[in-house]
């Protein structure tokens, strides 16, 4: 069983960060990551979780998973491209 493939390569805690700054910080981090890698992003409920996933998808970053935790949400976002290319 290979769990490494599904685990994120980096984590970004943006709880307490307002919109649109949380989207900008997420996008900047993703731009520095290799194609095919995954970023785990922690977001507050309300406007952040309503806006950031849609904005990321419109910018070409697939949101693979959204999980509700205790008082915040966790997104798994993939960098576009093939990691094996």
């Amino acid at each position: 069983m290979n769990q490494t493939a599904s685990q994120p390569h980096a984590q970004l805690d943006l709880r307490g960060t307002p919109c649109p700054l949380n989207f900008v910080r997420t996008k900047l981090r993703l731009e520095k990551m290799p194609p095919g890698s995954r970023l785990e992003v922690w977001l507050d409920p309300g406007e952040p979780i309503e806006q950031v996933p849609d904005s990321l998808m419109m910018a070409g970053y697939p949101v693979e998973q959204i999980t509700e935790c205790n008082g915040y949400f966790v997104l798994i976002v993939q960098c576009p491209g093939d990691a094996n290319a």
Side-chain angles (χ1 to χ4, degrees), residues 14 17-24 26-27 41 43-61 63 66 73 75 77:
L14 294 176
T17 304
C19 292
L21 195 53
N22 45 24
F23 166 69
V24 172
T26 302
K27 190 169 183 275
V41 183
L43 293 171
D44 291 319
E47 188 178 16
I49 193 61
E50 293 168 6
Q51 299 295 322
V52 173
D54 288 341
S55 296
L56 288 169
M57 288 189 282
M58 285 191 297
Y61 295 97
V63 176
I66 300 174
F73 289 82
L75 269 67
V77 186

Side-chain angles (χ1 to χ4, degrees), residues 2 12-13 15 17 20 29 32 43-45 49 64-65 83:
N2 184 2
L12 190 59
D13 185 353
R15 293 175 292 178
T17 304
R29 174 66 72 88
K32 294 179 182 178
L43 293 171
D44 291 319
I49 193 61
E64 294 184 347
Q65 183 179 340

